[in-house]
């Protein structure tokens, strides 16, 4: 393999747009370290041999060399500032997903991954189209997990009780392992863990189900596909739009948003919030998504975590101009239902059309 | 030496009826005289016994973990057992071995001697802290009987709240051990401030003492935070108070902030003493004052201060605001400066010295070798976007083992070999010690270099099983663990053999100018026969008299005065 994105001895294949700059920095630090290490340890060993104790040799009393001491205190600062700067710059690229990203929901639990696509269908292996920014919005049902795809060079903890996000854009068709990088327990299967475990030779399914469950076996794959293959895959896992079509109904923008619209009535949100932009007791949901708002605790941006917090702990950050009167829904609404409310509010973005009323 | 004895602390001299001029090993006989002793040297030795036992136990777990990872699938144990063993390895090594290792054992023994004091400021508190340590260790190890902990030594919530295992006894054990650590630190701080002998000014104070002082500062200031965190965790499990568990409205990441607010400074509780020993070894075996002595002392203090400001770098992938992440990355890089200053100064000390290639010096040079790798690999992890790829992989495992084991443990073993004659009055066999060193050094690198490579290739940590492409690295690493274990066994045997077969040690077998070598071997109960007055620094080889640096027997002893 001589392609520029092939695996090297130290690093896996490069499959994402951010990988080259991360790897460049990795190898920069590596060679910097090699030079410093050889200089320091080489000097130490050379001196220790050259000035070894022997007849007629005496240690020279230690003097002072202030310029030297200042030099080796100050010189590293320049290198460190450079590394900090490059690292932070790269980190910001990793943090801010492009606005045109395709959103995929990731549900992690002990010990499996579930990927929910915009059309509401889901799979246990992640399929993504090539050359398209993908934003994963992740939540955990139990303990902390961490989404790690080595060749994509992304990793982000998946924390229960909040949403975390990670984004990437794959540069070519291929596949990568998905691993859990935060310890989350595990056990051997069978009575008293006695079931003999045979590692599988299928690289895509290294842990046969029923034999092994745990942190290490929370393995999945990401398949990067050409757009038409991705569309085919979407169809194969059952595009819920087709079931709407078969009933002669219009397909809603997203299934989750349509569910959210039902909750909007049944949970009573409708009493204080509109979906049209009109003000009631609370702010309208129309056009509020991804908007900066002033609250009694300062500026915020309406995102997954803010909506979740406002449902479970409404007085935490109240949008300016509205009374702090909303009751908490803690214990009355499930995580899945919160997801659907979020999907509804997302669908009410200024530019997007509202889901069809049913 | 003149027989006039001017007590400087008087604290324990008044409590014993023993002859202050007799060897501390002979002052009082029987197990009872050890268990109730207020002598810092005996307490140091009792600590040493326990921490070595803890190291042995933690090492056994390490070997078993490595053996399990030799092959894919089940090798020797099931998954639950593996999860418990790596937790026990971490918890025992951190809480029972490495934190108390240098301060409580070697520090207890040598800090008072190196400042010319008779004992620490609060000898009773010192003994008390030892029994607290024993109690904490017992409570922590009780968890093994009660089903054992499987959370990792970091006890991350909400897993540690939800798991069925006996998290409480392990956390309570760590909570109790914290008090032992705090009391030792407090004792050292007061001792250094109030009990230095005439002539032992701050600028002459040995670098080992400076290191212990910096460590004590961290122990006193940081450990209470761990205590609070672990208590909150217990309250969470017992009463469900909802601080960390998201099901009850808590924030699991808050636990990580609390935990690392202690545990990152604790990294410096572990490494600063190792650096302190290395400074002593480099000076003695180069026959030369430490280059930039003041800079080394100050770098210990600045590591202690910086250590409090960088805990967030454990959470780069966990979810913090971009501003917090930026700040923690910047502060983390600052740690490289005092660390670099130390390494540069040690190398400059060897330059134009007269280097004796004795076994402790081999360990000191291995410390520089391994700590430099540990420190430089820290640069990868401080660089934000590179850290995202590497964090929670074997790269991190290798990095902190190069610092903790390649740093602190290597320095600890070097310190043991260096001070063994002074502590026990017996010389060890240098040939065996050097053979042991070769095994330790080769074995250590064989264990951990493959771990860097598999980590950067994407192998996450705390995995019972792994993908086929990592098997070769795991195999090399496991073979390395056998070499390393053999080396440590040889070294342990060398030290124990000295006790019954070793030649009697003279006062100053290494020809050091350090203060602790100016008194008897082994030291008398009061450390010095009369209060010493230091007229030169502990590294002033050009000012030391030939008698002070002589490696043979003192004339007074040849006269038979010591009988």
């Amino acid at each position: 393999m001589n392609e520029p994105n092939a695996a090297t001895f130290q690093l896996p294949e490069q499959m994402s747009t951010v990988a080259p700059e991360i790897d460049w920095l990795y190898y920069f630090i590596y060679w910097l370290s090699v030079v410093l290490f050889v200089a320091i340890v080489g000097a130490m060993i050379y001196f220790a041999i050259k000035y070894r104790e022997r007849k007629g040799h005496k240690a020279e009393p230690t003097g002072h060399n202030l310029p030297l001491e200042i030099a080796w205190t100050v010189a590293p600062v320049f290198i460190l500032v450079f590394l900090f700067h490059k690292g932070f710059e790269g980190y910001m690229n990793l943090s801010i997903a492009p606005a045109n990203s395709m959103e995929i929901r990731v549900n992690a639990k002990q010990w499996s991954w579930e990927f929910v696509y915009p059309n509401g269908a889901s799979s246990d292996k992640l399929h993504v189209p090539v050359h398209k920014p993908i934003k994963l919005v992740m939540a955990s049902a139990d303990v902390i997990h961490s989404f790690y795809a080595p060749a994509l060079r992304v990793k982000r903890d998946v924390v229960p009780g909040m949403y975390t996000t990670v984004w990437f854009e794959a540069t070519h068709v291929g596949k990568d392992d998905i691993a859990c990088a935060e310890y989350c327990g595990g056990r051997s299967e069978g009575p008293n863990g006695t079931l003999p475990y045979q590692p599988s030779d299928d690289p895509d399914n290294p842990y046969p189900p029923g034999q092994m469950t745990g942190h290490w076996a929370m393995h999945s794959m990401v398949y990067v596909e050409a757009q038409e293959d991705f569309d085919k895959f979407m169809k194969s896992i059952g595009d819920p739009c087709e079931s709407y079509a078969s009933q002669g109904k219009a397909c809603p923008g997203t299934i989750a948003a349509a569910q959210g619209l039902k909750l909007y009535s049944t949970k009573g949100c409708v009493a204080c919030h509109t979906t049209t932009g009109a003000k009631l007791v609370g702010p309208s949901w129309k056009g509020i998504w991804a908007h900066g708002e002033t609250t009694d605790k300062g500026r915020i941006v309406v995102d997954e975590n803010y909506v979740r917090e406002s449902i479970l702990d409404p007085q935490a950050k109240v949008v300016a101009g509205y009374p702090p009167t909303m009751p908490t829904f803690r214990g009355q609404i499930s995580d899945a239902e919160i997801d659907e409310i979020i999907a509804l509010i997302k669908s009410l973005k200024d530019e997007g059309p509202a889901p069809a009323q049913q | 030496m003149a027989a006039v004895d001017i007590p400087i602390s008087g604290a324990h001299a008044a409590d014993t009826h023993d002859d202050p001029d007799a060897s501390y090993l002979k002052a009082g006989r029987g197990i009872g005289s050890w268990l109730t002793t207020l002598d810092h040297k005996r307490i140091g030795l009792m600590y040493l016994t326990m921490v070595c036992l803890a190291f042995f136990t933690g090492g056994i777990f390490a070997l078993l973990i490595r053996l399990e990872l030799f092959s894919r699938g089940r090798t020797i144990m099931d998954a639950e057992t593996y999860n418990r063993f790596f937790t026990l390895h971490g918890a025992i090594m951190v809480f029972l071995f490495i934190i108390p290792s240098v301060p409580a054992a070697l520090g207890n023994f040598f800090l008072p001697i190196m400042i010319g004091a008779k004992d620490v400021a609060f000898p009773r508190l010192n003994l008390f802290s030892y029994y607290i340590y024993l109690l904490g260790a017992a409570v922590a190890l009780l968890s093994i009987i009660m089903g054992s902990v499987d959370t990792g030594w970091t006890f991350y919530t909400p897993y540690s709240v939800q798991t069925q295992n006996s998290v409480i006894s392990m956390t309570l054990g760590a909570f109790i051990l914290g008090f032992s650590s705090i009391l030792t630190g407090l004792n050292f701080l007061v001792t250094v401030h109030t009990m230095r002998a005439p002539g032992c000014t701050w600028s002459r104070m040995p670098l080992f003492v400076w290191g212990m002082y910096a460590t004590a500062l961290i122990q006193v200031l940081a450990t209470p935070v761990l205590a609070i965190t672990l208590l909150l965790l217990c309250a969470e499990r017992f009463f469900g108070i909802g601080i960390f568990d998201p099901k009850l409205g808590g924030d699991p990441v808050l636990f990580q902030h609390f935990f690392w607010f202690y545990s990152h400074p604790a990294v410096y509780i572990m490494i600063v003493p190792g650096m302190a020993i290395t400074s002593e070894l480099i000076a003695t075996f180069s026959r030369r004052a430490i280059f930039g002595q003041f800079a080394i002392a100050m770098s210990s203090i600045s590591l202690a201060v910086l250590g409090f400001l960088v805990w967030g770098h454990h959470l780069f992938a966990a979810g913090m605001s971009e501003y917090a992440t930026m700040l923690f990355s910047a502060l983390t890089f600052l740690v490289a400066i005092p660390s670099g200053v130390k390494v540069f100064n040690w190398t400059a000390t060897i330059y134009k010295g007269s280097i004796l290639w004795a076994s402790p010096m081999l360990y000191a040079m291995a410390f520089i070798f391994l700590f430099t790798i540990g420190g430089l690999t820290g640069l990868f992890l401080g660089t934000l976007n590179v850290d995202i790829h590497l964090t929670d992989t074997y790269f991190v495992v290798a990095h902190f083992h190069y610092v903790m084991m390649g740093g602190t443990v290597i320095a600890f073993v070097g310190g043991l070999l260096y001070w063994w004659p002074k502590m026990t009055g017996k010389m060890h066999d240098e040939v065996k010690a050097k053979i042991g060193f070769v095994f330790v050094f080769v074995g250590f690198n064989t264990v951990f270099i493959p771990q860097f490579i598999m980590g950067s290739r994407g192998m996450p940590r705390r995995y019972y099983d792994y993908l086929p492409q990592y098997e070769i690295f795991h195999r090399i690493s496991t073979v390395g663990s056998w070499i390393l274990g053999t080396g440590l066994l040889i070294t342990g045997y060398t030290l124990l053999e000295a006790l019954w077969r070793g030649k009697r040690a003279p006062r100053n077998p290494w020809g050091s100018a350090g203060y602790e070598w100016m008194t008897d071997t082994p030291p008398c109960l009061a450390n010095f026969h009369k209060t010493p007055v230091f007229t030169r620094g502990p590294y002033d080889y050009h000012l030391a008299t030939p008698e002070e640096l002589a490696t043979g027997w003192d004339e007074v002893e040849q006269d038979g005065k010591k009988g």
Side-chain angles (χ1 to χ4, degrees):
Chain A
M1 294 235 282
N2 293 317
E3 306 132 59
N5 47 31
T8 59
F9 183 66
Q10 295 184 46
L11 293 170
E13 181 189 1
Q14 299 177 344
M15 277 190 74
S16 69
T17 50
V18 293
E21 64 171 344
I22 292 174
D23 293 6
W24 181 87
L25 202 48
Y26 178 95
Y27 276 107
F28 177 83
I29 302 171
Y30 174 74
W31 286 112
L32 176 77
S33 301
V34 168
V35 168
L36 288 173
F37 177 79
V38 169
I40 293 167
V41 175
M44 175 188 81
I45 294 172
Y46 174 73
F47 295 153
I49 293 171
K50 184 172 181 197
Y51 301 107
R52 69 192 177 279
E53 189 169 80
R54 57 192 186 273
K55 272 209 177 89
H57 172 66
K58 236 175 121 39
E60 204 169 281
T62 307
H64 288 281
N65 194 334
L66 195 60
L68 183 64
E69 287 199 57
I70 290 174
W72 68 38
T73 310
V74 175
V77 174
F78 293 98
I79 302 172
L80 297 176
V81 167
F82 174 75
L83 291 182
F84 162 72
H85 170 75
K86 293 296 283 182
F88 183 61
E89 199 178 48
Y91 181 78
M92 291 313 283
N93 292 341
L94 282 172
S95 302
I96 301 166
N100 62 340
S101 300
M102 172 178 155
E103 267 190 32
I104 297 176
R105 277 282 279 111
V106 179
N107 292 311
K109 64 173 191 197
Q110 288 167 322
W111 290 275
S112 64
W113 300 98
E114 182 198 27
F115 304 98
V116 184
Y117 301 90
N119 66 5
S122 66
S123 66
D124 61 350
K125 303 257 197 291
L126 177 60
H127 291 250
V128 296
V130 69
H131 297 311
K132 182 155 180 63
I134 308 292
K135 182 182 178 188
L136 303 181
V137 178
M138 308 185 290
S140 164
D142 36 51
V143 300
I144 301 179
H145 303 280
S146 191
F147 177 90
Y148 180 33
L152 296 169
R153 306 285 190 276
V154 291
K155 185 184 289 130
R156 185 72 171 184
D157 286 6
V158 185
V159 184
M162 66 172 82
Y163 297 95
T164 54
T165 61
V166 72
W167 85 273
F168 59 88
E169 181 181 331
T171 52
H172 58 274
V173 171
K175 61 182 183 178
D176 188 17
D177 294 301
I178 291 172
C180 177
E182 188 66 65
Y183 175 70
C184 52
R187 58 167 182 262
S188 302
E189 290 299 312
N192 303 319
T194 49
L195 198 73
Y197 155 58
Q198 288 301 317
S200 146
D201 287 330
D202 175 6
D204 292 10
N205 295 292
Y207 303 102
Q211 283 194 13
M212 185 56 72
T213 45
H215 172 48
W216 57 92
M218 205 168 147
H219 177 273
S220 182
M221 298 296 294
V222 50
Y223 297 105
V224 178
E225 296 164 339
Q227 186 68 46
E228 55 272 23
D229 292 331
F230 177 72
D231 293 339
K232 238 182 265 168
F233 170 74
M234 283 291 104
K235 286 235 164 55
S236 75
I237 56 171
D239 188 338
C241 261
E242 294 189 347
S243 66
Y244 278 85
S246 65
Q247 295 168 40
K249 289 181 188 165
C251 182
T254 77
I255 303 296
Q259 293 297 328
L261 197 61
K262 280 186 204 158
L263 291 171
Y264 170 71
S265 319
T266 56
K267 295 280 177 190
C269 316
V270 63
C272 305
H273 301 277
T274 71
T275 56
T276 58
K279 277 189 185 182
L280 293 179
V281 182
S284 171
W285 291 355
K286 173 90 179 145
I288 201 172
W289 185 258
H291 240 245
E293 296 285 343
T294 306
T295 71
D296 55 347
K297 304 276 162 52
R299 295 284 295 175
I300 55 99
V301 171
V302 179
D303 60 6
E304 288 90 351
N305 281 318
Y306 178 71
V307 173
R308 184 185 165 88
E309 180 184 67
S310 298
I311 293 171
L312 299 176
D313 187 8
Q315 268 71 62
K317 299 182 191 90
V318 180
V319 176
Y322 294 93
T325 51
M326 178 170 155
T328 176
F329 283 75
R330 188 180 292 284
Q332 303 166 39
I333 188 166
S334 70
D335 282 358
E337 289 171 331
I338 293 176
D339 278 358
E340 289 162 358
I341 298 279
I342 290 171
L344 170 65
I345 297 176
K346 263 184 208 173
S347 73
L348 295 170
K349 266 195 286 196
D350 279 335
E351 56 277 10
Q357 293 277 9
Q358 295 171 54
Chain B
M1 285 190 171
V4 188
D5 189 5
I6 308 156
I8 42 177
S9 111
H12 86 231
D15 293 328
T16 72
H17 304 289
D18 302 317
D19 173 11
D21 283 334
S23 154
Y24 80 102
L25 292 170
K26 292 183 180 143
R29 286 181 186 280
I31 191 90
S33 75
W34 281 84
L35 295 180
T36 59
T37 185
L38 299 180
D39 181 8
H40 67 97
K41 298 183 285 300
R42 287 187 167 205
I43 296 172
L45 277 194
M46 293 197 293
Y47 261 119
L48 184 63
T49 314
M50 293 313 293
V51 298
C52 286
L53 269 177
F55 183 53
F56 184 77
T57 316
I60 295 288
F61 284 120
L63 288 171
L64 290 173
I65 297 169
R66 283 294 352 142
L67 190 56
E68 169 55 41
L69 292 169
F70 186 75
S71 290
R72 289 188 70 209
R74 180 187 168 124
T75 311
I76 54 163
M77 62 181 90
D78 63 27
E80 285 94 331
T81 312
Y82 175 84
N83 291 344
R84 288 165 189 172
F85 278 13
F86 83 69
T87 302
L88 284 169
H89 166 68
I92 290 175
M93 284 300 195
V94 169
F95 295 116
L96 292 181
F97 168 63
I98 203 163
I99 288 179
S101 64
V102 180
L106 295 176
N108 236 328
F109 197 107
F110 285 103
L111 181 135
I113 303 181
M114 288 169 96
I115 59 172
K118 278 188 164 178
D119 206 318
V120 292
F122 309 114
R124 279 190 188 81
L125 207 58
N126 200 16
L127 183 66
F128 184 49
S129 85
Y130 176 70
Y131 284 106
I132 294 178
Y133 171 83
L134 288 188
L135 177 69
V139 173
L141 295 182
L142 197 63
S143 71
I144 298 179
I145 302 164
M146 292 168 60
S148 202
V149 194
D150 69 340
T151 60
W153 78 278
T154 47
F155 310 116
Y156 271 16
T157 54
Y159 185 75
S160 58
V161 180
Q162 294 170 11
T163 179
Q164 297 304 312
N165 287 296
S166 56
V167 173
I168 300 273
S169 79
M170 183 56 95
T171 46
L172 275 183
F175 174 76
I176 295 167
L177 288 166
F179 282 97
S180 164
S181 188
I182 294 171
L183 293 181
T184 302
L186 186 70
N187 224 334
F188 284 3
L189 288 179
V190 178
T191 306
V192 167
H193 271 278
T194 61
M195 294 176 65
R196 279 169 293 124
C200 183
T201 60
W202 285 97
S203 62
R204 280 184 186 159
M205 200 162 78
L207 289 170
F208 180 73
V209 179
W210 269 108
M212 288 300 112
Y213 182 79
T215 307
L217 276 177
I218 316 173
Q219 284 176 310
V220 170
L221 293 176
T223 316
V225 180
L226 177 73
I228 294 163
T229 311
L230 295 179
L231 269 195
L232 285 175
L233 183 59
C234 291
E236 185 95 4
R237 275 187 75 104
F238 270 132
F239 310 117
I241 52 175
I243 291 184
F244 304 126
D245 189 349
K247 288 208 177 92
L248 304 165
D251 181 354
V253 180
L254 181 66
F255 177 85
Q256 297 180 27
H257 280 283
F258 279 177
F259 182 83
W260 288 111
F261 188 87
Y262 162 75
S263 293
H264 196 81
V267 167
Y268 298 92
I269 296 179
M270 304 181 219
I271 188 65
V272 169
M275 296 165 158
I277 292 177
T278 303
S279 295
E280 294 295 326
L281 299 182
I282 296 279
T284 291
F285 294 100
S286 302
R287 310 276 183 247
R288 194 163 183 261
I290 282 284
F291 187 88
Q293 187 185 342
F294 179 73
I296 287 206
M298 287 308 113
S299 64
S300 290
I301 302 293
S302 54
L303 280 177
V305 174
L306 282 175
F308 279 97
L309 305 175
V310 299
W311 79 88
H313 69 215
H314 297 268
L315 285 83
F316 286 158
M320 280 189 302
S321 79
E322 277 76 20
Y323 297 109
T325 308
M326 175 182 79
L327 196 64
F328 281 122
S329 171
L331 288 166
T332 299
F333 277 116
L334 290 182
V335 173
I337 294 170
S339 309
V341 163
K342 280 184 193 280
V343 170
F344 296 140
N345 279 308
W346 290 325
T347 311
T349 304
I350 297 174
Y351 175 68
K352 292 198 172 172
S354 174
I355 287 82
L356 179 65
W357 285 65
S359 59
M361 183 60 172
L362 293 180
Y363 278 94
M365 290 200 283
F367 177 97
I368 296 178
F369 184 104
L370 301 172
F371 177 75
T372 302
I373 294 178
L376 289 171
T377 50
L379 294 178
F380 293 84
L381 299 170
T383 305
L384 282 170
N385 58 347
V386 180
D387 176 76
I388 292 297
H389 175 58
L390 296 175
T391 190
D392 279 318
T393 68
Y394 264 80
F395 190 93
V396 174
V397 176
H399 160 72
F400 71 72
H401 277 93
Y402 262 87
V403 178
M404 301 285 85
M405 175 143 198
T408 309
V409 177
I410 290 293
F412 177 68
V413 177
L416 271 183
L417 287 164
Y418 176 57
W419 281 314
W420 199 248
K422 182 59 72 181
M423 289 192 284
T424 64
K426 296 291 177 65
M427 292 303 293
H428 61 260
D429 179 6
E430 269 288 278
V431 176
K432 285 201 195 78
K434 285 175 183 173
I435 294 172
F437 168 80
V438 171
F439 275 88
V440 168
F441 185 76
V442 171
F444 178 84
N445 286 295
T446 314
V447 175
F448 292 107
I449 285 178
Q451 296 193 5
F452 277 124
I453 300 164
M454 66 174 135
S456 63
R457 287 182 167 206
M459 166 86 208
R461 56 190 289 217
R462 295 174 167 178
Y463 266 35
Y464 171 68
D465 203 13
Y466 46 82
L467 301 176
Q469 64 261 37
Y470 302 115
E471 190 164 49
I472 180 68
F473 301 105
H474 278 294
R475 294 219 155 152
I476 298 171
S477 184
T478 300
V479 171
S481 73
W482 302 334
I483 305 173
L484 176 58
T486 308
L488 287 168
L489 283 181
I490 295 173
T491 310
Y493 174 78
T494 308
L495 290 172
L496 291 178
E497 183 199 38
L499 292 183
W500 70 82
R501 213 188 281 171
K503 275 189 263 176
R504 261 190 72 206
R507 179 182 54 80
N508 188 6
W510 310 114
S512 171
Y515 294 155
E516 75 275 26
W517 301 101
M518 294 163 79
T519 188
D520 302 346
T521 290
C524 58
L525 187 60
N527 295 340
F528 292 88
H529 292 285
K530 60 173 187 173
T531 303
V533 176
F534 299 121
T535 53
R536 59 166 176 80
Y539 313 111
D540 290 340
Y541 283 82
H542 56 293
L543 300 177
T545 62
E547 291 76 42
E548 282 175 328
L549 297 179
T551 56
W553 299 95
D554 294 337
E555 277 180 31
V556 279
E557 272 192 283
Q558 282 173 339
D559 293 347
K561 190 191 166 200
K562 292 294 293 175

